[in-house]
Amino acid sequence: MNINTKVLHGYPMIDEKTGASSIPKVQASTYHQSDILQNQKYTYSRFGNPTVEALEEAVAVLENGKYATAFSSGVAAISSVLLQLSSGDHIVLCKNIYGGTYQVVIELLEKFNIEYTFVEESPTENWSKAIRENTKMIYLETPSNPTLKITDIKAVAKIAKDNGIITVCDNTFMTPYFQNPLKLGVDLVIHSGTKFLNGHSDVIAGLVVTNNLFLFESIVKQRTILGGILGVEDAWLLMRGIKTLGIRMERSEHNTQLLAGFLNRSNQVKKVYHPSLNSHKGRKVHKSQARGFGSVLSFELKNSEAVESFLSKVILPLVGVSLGGVETILSYPWLMSHASLTKEERLERNVTPELIRLSVGIEDVADLIMDIEQALQ
Ligand SMILES: Cc1ncc(COP(=O)(O)O)c(C=O)c1O
C-alpha cells in the first residue's frame, strides 16, 4: 500500500461495532469488571485505553513498526526512552539536538549517573569514536533542529548494531511520510505528535515506535508507573490529523523549497539552512534516506537589530514556540527552543541571535513570499 493510501486505510479507522467513520472516544478512566477473577483487557485508562490504542496502531503501521506507545508529550516520549538507560551507562547523542532533549540529558541523566557524549553529526566516524565500553544507546535527530544538520542513519545504526547498542531516532521533522528510520536499522523511533503528525497546533502528544517487543514492554511498563499517558481527546484529534498527513507534508514542503530559494537569493539574508538547497552539506545523504526535504528551514539575518525589525513587520506567520502546523510558524531559537543552553553552547551550535526558524505552512506561497519580502525590506 502506498503512503497516501496508508494514512487513510493502513490501520483500523472505522468503528467495528457501529461502522462509524471514526474511532469512538472512550472517555473513561475506569472499566466495570463483572468478574474480578477474570483478566479483562481494559481496567484503568492509565494502563490502556481503546482510543489511545487505535492511535498507537495507526502510528506503528505508518512507521513500519509493530508497536507504538503514546505519551502526553514528545518530551515524555523522549524521557521514557532515555530512562531505559541505567546508572553507569553511557549514551552518544547528536550535538544539534532539540533543546528539550538536551535539557533532559543535562538535568535528568546526570542525576541518575548516566554518562553522555554529544558528537558532531558528520562524518560518521565521530559516532564510532565516541563509543565506550558502557555505551548502551545512540540517539540521533535528522534533520536536526534548528540548523537541519544531517546524520547518516543507516551508517550510524550499523555502527550501533555492530557494538550491541540501541539506536534511537527522533523523526518529528520528517514524519513517516518522508522518512522511515526503522527500515534503516533504528530500534526506536520518537515523534513529537504535537507537530506534523497532528498538524493543527491544537494537541501536545508524543509517540515511541519499535519492532522490539522487549523494549516496547519496558516502555509501556514505565509509562504506567510514571503516568505520562496521552488523553483520549488528544489521541482522537491526532488520528484525525494523520488522515491529511500526506497532502499537508507535500504542500508545505513545496512551499518551503520555494521560500528557501527566495531567501537564498535575498541580499538581506546571510545564510539559509534547508536540505533542498544545493549548498547544503548533508543534501546527498539526506536524499538517500528520505523522500522529501521537510517544511522547516532556518535563516540568518545580518544582525539582531534586523531580527527585531523583521519580527515587527512580518504579518502572516504565527510567532511562537512550535512547528508542524498548517499555518506558518516563525520562531526564534535563541530565546525559544534553545533558551536552556548557555550562550556558548548555542553559538557552538550555530544558534545565533540572528537566526530565525520557519515551519512553513500550507498557505499560498506567493502570499508568504510577499509578506517575508516586505518584512525584509
Ligand atoms: C524535534 C523535536 N522533538 C521533540 C520535541 C518535543 O515535543 P513536545 O513539545 O511535544 O514535548 C520537539 C518540540 O519542539 C521537537 O522539535
Side-chain angles (χ1 to χ4, degrees):
M1 198 184 283
N2 294 309
I3 186 74
N4 274 303
T5 314
K6 210 170 173 183
V7 296
L8 285 163
H9 301 288
Y11 53 89
M13 57 162 282
I14 289 169
D15 178 32
E16 265 184 13
K17 240 186 189 165
T18 61
S21 61
S22 75
I23 298 294
K25 292 177 202 167
V26 179
Q27 191 73 54
S29 58
T30 193
Y31 303 78
H32 176 61
Q33 300 180 46
S34 49
D35 181 352
I36 56 163
L37 298 178
Q38 288 293 319
N39 275 341
Q40 105 181 20
K41 188 167 180 199
Y42 300 107
T43 54
Y44 189 58
S45 278
R46 177 156 50 80
F47 311 153
N49 173 284
T51 313
V52 177
E53 281 179 10
L55 165 73
E56 291 169 338
E57 188 173 350
V59 177
V61 164
L62 297 182
E63 273 296 4
N64 301 284
K66 284 192 190 137
Y67 317 105
T69 318
F71 288 88
S72 53
S73 69
V75 164
I78 291 164
S79 312
S80 87
V81 166
L82 294 179
L83 288 176
Q84 295 303 305
L85 295 165
S86 306
S87 173
D89 288 349
H90 172 245
I91 176 172
V92 184
L93 306 101
C94 59
K95 189 165 137 193
N96 297 281
I97 206 155
Y98 167 60
T101 311
Y102 183 78
Q103 210 169 6
V104 176
V105 172
I106 298 293
E107 298 201 7
L108 204 65
L109 295 194
E110 229 170 61
K111 224 168 151 174
F112 291 112
N113 191 31
I114 296 164
E115 299 169 1
Y116 54 86
T117 307
F118 289 100
V119 293
E120 196 63 53
E121 289 70 2
S122 65
T124 304
E125 296 83 81
N126 292 350
W127 295 85
S128 40
K129 279 188 198 148
I131 291 173
R132 302 180 191 162
E133 233 170 58
N134 58 340
T135 307
K136 295 285 162 54
M137 192 179 275
I138 281 185
Y139 189 108
L140 55 98
E141 191 182 310
T142 179
S144 71
N145 186 359
T147 52
L148 294 304
K149 292 239 171 118
I150 305 298
T151 302
D152 186 332
I153 303 176
K154 211 172 179 174
V156 173
K158 181 168 183 331
I159 293 168
K161 205 134 281 173
D162 291 348
N163 288 276
I165 297 167
I166 292 167
T167 314
V168 181
C169 178
D170 183 332
N171 202 28
T172 300
F173 272 32
M174 285 290 102
T175 81
Y177 190 77
F178 281 144
Q179 186 167 275
N180 303 112
L182 292 179
K183 278 191 172 172
L184 300 167
V186 163
D187 300 292
L188 291 162
V189 172
I190 294 176
H191 283 284
S192 165
T194 313
K195 313 295 194 250
F196 294 101
L197 278 184
N198 178 58
H200 293 76
S201 304
D202 52 13
V203 163
I204 300 272
L207 288 122
V208 180
V209 190
T210 186
N211 279 314
N212 183 318
L213 181 61
F214 176 79
L215 284 172
F216 167 67
E217 286 180 342
S218 171
I219 286 168
V220 170
K221 186 175 170 194
Q222 198 195 66
R223 181 186 61 176
T224 302
I225 295 168
L226 294 179
I229 56 158
L230 183 64
V232 170
E233 181 77 18
D234 288 342
W236 189 90
L237 280 167
L238 240 165
M239 276 189 280
R240 185 171 70 167
I242 284 171
K243 290 179 186 177
T244 56
L245 180 69
I247 52 167
R248 286 188 286 106
M249 292 306 283
E250 290 290 347
R251 167 73 177 225
S252 59
E253 196 231 20
H254 170 76
N255 286 355
T256 312
Q257 289 200 44
L258 295 178
L259 259 176
F262 164 76
L263 290 166
N264 208 29
R265 288 186 298 276
S266 166
N267 53 18
Q268 315 285 339
V269 175
K270 210 159 67 179
K271 192 168 172 63
V272 185
Y273 298 93
H274 192 248
S276 69
L277 296 170
N278 284 327
S279 55
H280 192 286
K281 245 178 77 185
R283 179 182 155 91
K284 197 167 156 219
V285 172
H286 181 77
K287 276 189 83 175
S288 73
Q289 62 193 17
R291 293 177 293 279
F293 297 109
S295 313
V296 179
L297 68 80
S298 295
F299 61 100
E300 253 184 354
L301 294 182
K302 287 190 177 145
N303 51 53
S304 45
E305 293 77 54
V307 171
E308 242 173 77
S309 73
F310 178 78
L311 291 180
S312 72
K313 296 284 181 205
V314 75
I315 296 164
L316 287 177
L318 185 155
V319 178
V321 176
S322 204
L323 55 98
V326 281
E327 65 288 272
T328 295
I329 303 174
L330 184 155
S331 72
Y332 186 51
W334 181 256
L335 294 183
M336 293 180 180
S337 58
H338 287 63
S340 63
L341 277 68
T342 65
K343 188 177 165 193
E344 290 70 31
E345 287 167 338
R346 278 175 277 171
L347 292 176
E348 212 189 308
R349 286 161 175 78
N350 302 110
V351 178
T352 64
E354 294 84 43
L355 190 75
I356 291 174
R357 190 188 73 193
L358 273 185
S359 164
V360 182
I362 62 170
E363 299 93 341
D364 284 307
V365 69
D367 292 332
L368 287 175
I369 290 177
M370 209 167 23
D371 185 28
I372 286 171
E373 188 171 26
Q374 66 78 24
L376 285 174
Q377 291 309 325

Short mmCIF file of all heavy atoms in Angstrom, two decimals, residues 148 174 178 196 248-264 272-277 292-298 325 328 357-365 368-369 372:
data_model
loop_
_atom_site.label_atom_id
_atom_site.label_comp_id
_atom_site.label_asym_id
_atom_site.label_seq_id
_atom_site.Cartn_x
_atom_site.Cartn_y
_atom_site.Cartn_z
N LEU A 148 19.20 22.00 10.71
CA LEU A 148 18.98 21.00 9.66
C LEU A 148 20.25 20.21 9.30
O LEU A 148 20.50 19.94 8.13
CB LEU A 148 18.37 21.64 8.40
CG LEU A 148 16.96 22.23 8.43
CD1 LEU A 148 15.93 21.21 8.89
CD2 LEU A 148 16.78 23.51 9.17
N MET A 174 10.56 14.85 9.89
CA MET A 174 10.29 14.18 8.62
C MET A 174 8.93 13.51 8.59
O MET A 174 8.27 13.45 7.55
CB MET A 174 11.36 13.13 8.34
CG MET A 174 12.69 13.69 7.89
SD MET A 174 12.59 14.37 6.21
CE MET A 174 12.51 16.09 6.55
N PHE A 178 7.92 11.00 5.06
CA PHE A 178 9.16 11.25 4.32
C PHE A 178 10.33 10.33 4.72
O PHE A 178 11.27 10.18 3.95
CB PHE A 178 9.61 12.70 4.50
CG PHE A 178 8.86 13.70 3.64
CD1 PHE A 178 8.57 14.96 4.13
CD2 PHE A 178 8.48 13.39 2.34
CE1 PHE A 178 7.90 15.89 3.34
CE2 PHE A 178 7.80 14.31 1.55
CZ PHE A 178 7.51 15.56 2.05
N PHE A 196 4.02 17.77 13.03
CA PHE A 196 3.41 17.46 11.73
C PHE A 196 2.38 16.34 11.80
O PHE A 196 1.42 16.35 11.03
CB PHE A 196 4.49 17.11 10.71
CG PHE A 196 5.38 18.26 10.39
CD1 PHE A 196 6.63 18.36 10.95
CD2 PHE A 196 4.96 19.27 9.53
CE1 PHE A 196 7.46 19.43 10.66
CE2 PHE A 196 5.77 20.35 9.23
CZ PHE A 196 7.03 20.43 9.81
N ARG A 248 -0.70 17.53 3.53
CA ARG A 248 -0.07 18.63 4.28
C ARG A 248 1.44 18.64 4.07
O ARG A 248 2.04 19.69 3.86
CB ARG A 248 -0.39 18.51 5.78
CG ARG A 248 -1.82 18.88 6.15
CD ARG A 248 -2.03 18.92 7.65
NE ARG A 248 -2.10 17.62 8.29
CZ ARG A 248 -1.14 17.08 9.03
NH1 ARG A 248 -0.02 17.73 9.25
NH2 ARG A 248 -1.30 15.88 9.57
N MET A 249 2.05 17.45 4.16
CA MET A 249 3.51 17.38 4.02
C MET A 249 3.95 17.81 2.61
O MET A 249 4.91 18.53 2.44
CB MET A 249 4.03 15.96 4.32
CG MET A 249 3.90 15.53 5.77
SD MET A 249 4.65 16.66 6.96
CE MET A 249 6.39 16.26 6.78
N GLU A 250 3.21 17.32 1.61
CA GLU A 250 3.57 17.66 0.22
C GLU A 250 3.48 19.17 -0.02
O GLU A 250 4.37 19.78 -0.57
CB GLU A 250 2.63 16.95 -0.76
CG GLU A 250 2.79 15.45 -0.85
CD GLU A 250 4.09 15.00 -1.51
OE1 GLU A 250 4.77 15.83 -2.13
OE2 GLU A 250 4.43 13.80 -1.38
N ARG A 251 2.36 19.74 0.42
CA ARG A 251 2.11 21.15 0.15
C ARG A 251 3.10 22.04 0.92
O ARG A 251 3.67 22.98 0.36
CB ARG A 251 0.66 21.47 0.55
CG ARG A 251 0.30 22.92 0.62
CD ARG A 251 0.19 23.52 -0.76
NE ARG A 251 -0.21 24.90 -0.65
CZ ARG A 251 -1.13 25.46 -1.40
NH1 ARG A 251 -1.74 24.78 -2.33
NH2 ARG A 251 -1.45 26.72 -1.25
N SER A 252 3.30 21.74 2.20
CA SER A 252 4.17 22.62 2.98
C SER A 252 5.63 22.45 2.54
O SER A 252 6.40 23.41 2.55
CB SER A 252 4.02 22.37 4.48
OG SER A 252 4.32 21.05 4.82
N GLU A 253 5.99 21.24 2.09
CA GLU A 253 7.36 21.05 1.62
C GLU A 253 7.59 21.81 0.31
O GLU A 253 8.64 22.41 0.10
CB GLU A 253 7.64 19.55 1.42
CG GLU A 253 9.12 19.27 1.32
CD GLU A 253 9.48 18.44 0.12
OE1 GLU A 253 8.67 18.40 -0.83
OE2 GLU A 253 10.56 17.84 0.13
N HIS A 254 6.60 21.79 -0.56
CA HIS A 254 6.68 22.55 -1.82
C HIS A 254 6.89 24.04 -1.51
O HIS A 254 7.77 24.69 -2.06
CB HIS A 254 5.38 22.31 -2.60
CG HIS A 254 5.22 23.19 -3.80
ND1 HIS A 254 5.91 22.97 -4.97
CD2 HIS A 254 4.47 24.31 -4.00
CE1 HIS A 254 5.59 23.90 -5.85
NE2 HIS A 254 4.71 24.72 -5.29
N ASN A 255 6.06 24.56 -0.58
CA ASN A 255 6.19 25.97 -0.19
C ASN A 255 7.59 26.25 0.38
O ASN A 255 8.18 27.30 0.11
CB ASN A 255 5.14 26.33 0.88
CG ASN A 255 3.74 26.45 0.28
OD1 ASN A 255 3.56 26.35 -0.93
ND2 ASN A 255 2.75 26.64 1.14
N THR A 256 8.09 25.31 1.17
CA THR A 256 9.39 25.51 1.84
C THR A 256 10.52 25.60 0.81
O THR A 256 11.42 26.44 0.94
CB THR A 256 9.69 24.35 2.81
OG1 THR A 256 8.53 24.14 3.61
CG2 THR A 256 10.87 24.66 3.71
N GLN A 257 10.46 24.75 -0.19
CA GLN A 257 11.52 24.78 -1.21
C GLN A 257 11.53 26.13 -1.93
O GLN A 257 12.58 26.70 -2.17
CB GLN A 257 11.32 23.66 -2.23
CG GLN A 257 11.60 22.29 -1.63
CD GLN A 257 11.88 21.26 -2.71
OE1 GLN A 257 12.60 21.52 -3.65
NE2 GLN A 257 11.30 20.08 -2.56
N LEU A 258 10.33 26.64 -2.23
CA LEU A 258 10.27 27.93 -2.92
C LEU A 258 10.76 29.07 -2.01
O LEU A 258 11.50 29.95 -2.44
CB LEU A 258 8.85 28.20 -3.42
CG LEU A 258 8.36 27.24 -4.51
CD1 LEU A 258 6.92 27.55 -4.91
CD2 LEU A 258 9.25 27.31 -5.76
N LEU A 259 10.37 28.99 -0.74
CA LEU A 259 10.81 30.01 0.21
C LEU A 259 12.31 29.95 0.45
O LEU A 259 12.98 30.99 0.54
CB LEU A 259 10.10 29.81 1.56
CG LEU A 259 8.92 30.72 1.85
CD1 LEU A 259 8.26 30.34 3.16
CD2 LEU A 259 9.36 32.19 1.92
N ALA A 260 12.85 28.73 0.53
CA ALA A 260 14.29 28.56 0.75
C ALA A 260 15.05 29.20 -0.42
O ALA A 260 16.04 29.92 -0.21
CB ALA A 260 14.65 27.08 0.89
N GLY A 261 14.57 28.97 -1.64
CA GLY A 261 15.21 29.55 -2.82
C GLY A 261 15.13 31.07 -2.78
O GLY A 261 16.12 31.77 -3.03
N PHE A 262 13.95 31.58 -2.42
CA PHE A 262 13.76 33.04 -2.34
C PHE A 262 14.72 33.65 -1.30
O PHE A 262 15.42 34.64 -1.58
CB PHE A 262 12.30 33.37 -1.98
CG PHE A 262 12.12 34.77 -1.50
CD1 PHE A 262 12.12 35.83 -2.40
CD2 PHE A 262 12.00 35.04 -0.14
CE1 PHE A 262 11.99 37.14 -1.95
CE2 PHE A 262 11.88 36.35 0.32
CZ PHE A 262 11.87 37.39 -0.60
N LEU A 263 14.76 33.07 -0.12
CA LEU A 263 15.63 33.60 0.95
C LEU A 263 17.10 33.52 0.55
O LEU A 263 17.89 34.40 0.86
CB LEU A 263 15.38 32.84 2.26
CG LEU A 263 14.03 33.10 2.93
CD1 LEU A 263 13.74 32.06 4.01
CD2 LEU A 263 13.99 34.51 3.54
N ASN A 264 17.43 32.43 -0.12
CA ASN A 264 18.82 32.22 -0.56
C ASN A 264 19.28 33.30 -1.53
O ASN A 264 20.45 33.66 -1.58
CB ASN A 264 18.91 30.83 -1.22
CG ASN A 264 20.28 30.23 -1.09
OD1 ASN A 264 20.99 30.52 -0.12
ND2 ASN A 264 20.68 29.42 -2.05
N VAL A 272 21.04 30.48 4.65
CA VAL A 272 19.78 29.72 4.72
C VAL A 272 20.11 28.25 4.97
O VAL A 272 21.01 27.70 4.34
CB VAL A 272 18.96 29.83 3.41
CG1 VAL A 272 17.61 29.14 3.54
CG2 VAL A 272 18.77 31.28 3.00
N TYR A 273 19.40 27.63 5.90
CA TYR A 273 19.60 26.21 6.19
C TYR A 273 18.37 25.43 5.72
O TYR A 273 17.29 25.58 6.28
CB TYR A 273 19.75 25.98 7.70
CG TYR A 273 20.92 26.65 8.36
CD1 TYR A 273 20.77 27.92 8.95
CD2 TYR A 273 22.16 26.03 8.45
CE1 TYR A 273 21.85 28.53 9.61
CE2 TYR A 273 23.23 26.63 9.10
CZ TYR A 273 23.06 27.88 9.67
OH TYR A 273 24.12 28.48 10.33
N HIS A 274 18.52 24.64 4.67
CA HIS A 274 17.46 23.70 4.27
C HIS A 274 18.08 22.66 3.34
O HIS A 274 18.81 23.03 2.40
CB HIS A 274 16.29 24.41 3.56
CG HIS A 274 15.09 23.51 3.41
ND1 HIS A 274 14.65 23.06 2.19
CD2 HIS A 274 14.27 22.94 4.34
CE1 HIS A 274 13.59 22.27 2.38
NE2 HIS A 274 13.35 22.19 3.67
N PRO A 275 17.82 21.38 3.58
CA PRO A 275 18.50 20.35 2.77
C PRO A 275 18.12 20.35 1.29
O PRO A 275 18.78 19.68 0.49
CB PRO A 275 18.10 19.02 3.45
CG PRO A 275 17.03 19.35 4.41
CD PRO A 275 17.04 20.80 4.69
N SER A 276 17.10 21.12 0.90
CA SER A 276 16.76 21.17 -0.53
C SER A 276 17.77 22.02 -1.31
O SER A 276 17.85 21.92 -2.54
CB SER A 276 15.36 21.76 -0.72
OG SER A 276 15.35 23.14 -0.39
N LEU A 277 18.53 22.84 -0.61
CA LEU A 277 19.47 23.74 -1.30
C LEU A 277 20.73 22.98 -1.71
O LEU A 277 21.26 22.19 -0.92
CB LEU A 277 19.85 24.91 -0.38
CG LEU A 277 18.69 25.85 -0.01
CD1 LEU A 277 19.12 26.82 1.08
CD2 LEU A 277 18.20 26.61 -1.24
N GLY A 292 11.64 13.38 1.06
CA GLY A 292 11.34 14.81 0.95
C GLY A 292 12.26 15.59 1.85
O GLY A 292 12.96 15.01 2.69
N PHE A 293 12.27 16.91 1.68
CA PHE A 293 13.20 17.74 2.44
C PHE A 293 12.58 18.33 3.70
O PHE A 293 13.27 18.89 4.53
CB PHE A 293 13.72 18.88 1.55
CG PHE A 293 14.50 18.38 0.37
CD1 PHE A 293 13.96 18.47 -0.91
CD2 PHE A 293 15.76 17.81 0.53
CE1 PHE A 293 14.68 18.03 -2.01
CE2 PHE A 293 16.47 17.36 -0.56
CZ PHE A 293 15.94 17.46 -1.84
N GLY A 294 11.27 18.22 3.84
CA GLY A 294 10.62 18.73 5.04
C GLY A 294 10.31 20.20 4.96
O GLY A 294 10.70 20.91 4.02
N SER A 295 9.59 20.67 5.97
CA SER A 295 9.00 22.01 5.91
C SER A 295 9.55 22.95 6.96
O SER A 295 8.90 23.93 7.30
CB SER A 295 7.48 21.89 6.08
OG SER A 295 7.01 20.88 5.24
N VAL A 296 10.71 22.61 7.51
CA VAL A 296 11.35 23.52 8.46
C VAL A 296 12.61 24.07 7.81
O VAL A 296 13.42 23.29 7.29
CB VAL A 296 11.71 22.80 9.78
CG1 VAL A 296 12.41 23.76 10.75
CG2 VAL A 296 10.46 22.20 10.42
N LEU A 297 12.76 25.37 7.82
CA LEU A 297 14.01 25.99 7.35
C LEU A 297 14.42 27.05 8.34
O LEU A 297 13.59 27.57 9.10
CB LEU A 297 13.84 26.56 5.94
CG LEU A 297 12.94 27.77 5.71
CD1 LEU A 297 13.63 29.09 6.09
CD2 LEU A 297 12.57 27.85 4.23
N SER A 298 15.69 27.35 8.35
CA SER A 298 16.18 28.43 9.21
C SER A 298 16.99 29.39 8.35
O SER A 298 17.56 28.98 7.33
CB SER A 298 17.04 27.88 10.34
OG SER A 298 16.26 27.08 11.19
N GLY A 325 2.51 22.95 12.11
CA GLY A 325 1.09 23.25 11.95
C GLY A 325 0.77 23.57 10.49
O GLY A 325 1.67 23.77 9.67
N THR A 328 1.96 28.78 8.91
CA THR A 328 3.40 29.02 9.04
C THR A 328 3.69 29.55 10.44
O THR A 328 2.99 30.43 10.94
CB THR A 328 3.85 30.02 7.96
OG1 THR A 328 3.65 29.40 6.69
CG2 THR A 328 5.31 30.40 8.11
N ARG A 357 13.74 30.63 12.66
CA ARG A 357 13.29 29.35 12.11
C ARG A 357 11.86 29.49 11.60
O ARG A 357 11.03 30.11 12.26
CB ARG A 357 13.35 28.27 13.20
CG ARG A 357 13.12 26.86 12.66
CD ARG A 357 12.99 25.85 13.77
NE ARG A 357 11.71 25.98 14.44
CZ ARG A 357 11.42 25.40 15.60
NH1 ARG A 357 12.31 24.67 16.22
NH2 ARG A 357 10.23 25.57 16.17
N LEU A 358 11.62 28.93 10.44
CA LEU A 358 10.27 28.95 9.88
C LEU A 358 9.77 27.52 9.71
O LEU A 358 10.47 26.68 9.12
CB LEU A 358 10.27 29.58 8.49
CG LEU A 358 10.14 31.09 8.33
CD1 LEU A 358 10.05 31.42 6.85
CD2 LEU A 358 8.93 31.65 9.07
N SER A 359 8.61 27.23 10.26
CA SER A 359 7.93 25.99 9.93
C SER A 359 6.87 26.41 8.92
O SER A 359 5.91 27.11 9.27
CB SER A 359 7.31 25.39 11.19
OG SER A 359 6.37 24.42 10.83
N VAL A 360 7.09 26.04 7.69
CA VAL A 360 6.27 26.60 6.62
C VAL A 360 4.94 25.84 6.53
O VAL A 360 4.92 24.61 6.55
CB VAL A 360 7.04 26.56 5.28
CG1 VAL A 360 6.21 27.19 4.16
CG2 VAL A 360 8.38 27.28 5.42
N GLY A 361 3.88 26.59 6.42
CA GLY A 361 2.55 26.01 6.39
C GLY A 361 2.03 25.77 4.97
O GLY A 361 2.82 25.70 4.01
N ILE A 362 0.71 25.67 4.86
CA ILE A 362 0.10 25.31 3.57
C ILE A 362 -0.58 26.50 2.89
O ILE A 362 -1.39 26.34 2.00
CB ILE A 362 -0.89 24.13 3.74
CG1 ILE A 362 -2.06 24.52 4.67
CG2 ILE A 362 -0.19 22.89 4.28
CD1 ILE A 362 -3.19 23.49 4.69
N GLU A 363 -0.23 27.71 3.36
CA GLU A 363 -0.81 28.91 2.72
C GLU A 363 -0.38 29.00 1.25
O GLU A 363 0.46 28.24 0.79
CB GLU A 363 -0.28 30.18 3.44
CG GLU A 363 -0.63 30.29 4.92
CD GLU A 363 0.44 29.73 5.84
OE1 GLU A 363 1.29 28.93 5.39
OE2 GLU A 363 0.41 30.07 7.04
N ASP A 364 -0.95 29.97 0.52
CA ASP A 364 -0.46 30.23 -0.84
C ASP A 364 0.95 30.80 -0.71
O ASP A 364 1.16 31.82 -0.05
CB ASP A 364 -1.37 31.25 -1.55
CG ASP A 364 -2.66 30.58 -1.99
OD1 ASP A 364 -2.58 29.53 -2.66
OD2 ASP A 364 -3.74 31.07 -1.61
N VAL A 365 1.88 30.13 -1.38
CA VAL A 365 3.28 30.50 -1.17
C VAL A 365 3.58 31.92 -1.65
O VAL A 365 4.43 32.62 -1.09
CB VAL A 365 4.23 29.44 -1.78
CG1 VAL A 365 4.18 29.45 -3.29
CG2 VAL A 365 5.65 29.63 -1.29
N LEU A 368 3.08 34.16 1.21
CA LEU A 368 4.16 34.03 2.20
C LEU A 368 5.40 34.78 1.74
O LEU A 368 6.02 35.53 2.50
CB LEU A 368 4.51 32.55 2.41
CG LEU A 368 3.51 31.69 3.19
CD1 LEU A 368 3.95 30.24 3.21
CD2 LEU A 368 3.35 32.22 4.62
N ILE A 369 5.75 34.59 0.46
CA ILE A 369 6.95 35.24 -0.07
C ILE A 369 6.78 36.76 -0.04
O ILE A 369 7.68 37.49 0.39
CB ILE A 369 7.29 34.72 -1.49
CG1 ILE A 369 7.77 33.27 -1.40
CG2 ILE A 369 8.34 35.60 -2.17
CD1 ILE A 369 8.07 32.60 -2.72
N ILE A 372 7.15 38.00 3.57
CA ILE A 372 8.53 37.95 4.06
C ILE A 372 9.40 38.99 3.33
O ILE A 372 10.23 39.66 3.94
CB ILE A 372 9.08 36.51 3.95
CG1 ILE A 372 8.40 35.71 5.07
CG2 ILE A 372 10.59 36.44 4.06
CD1 ILE A 372 8.61 34.26 5.04
#
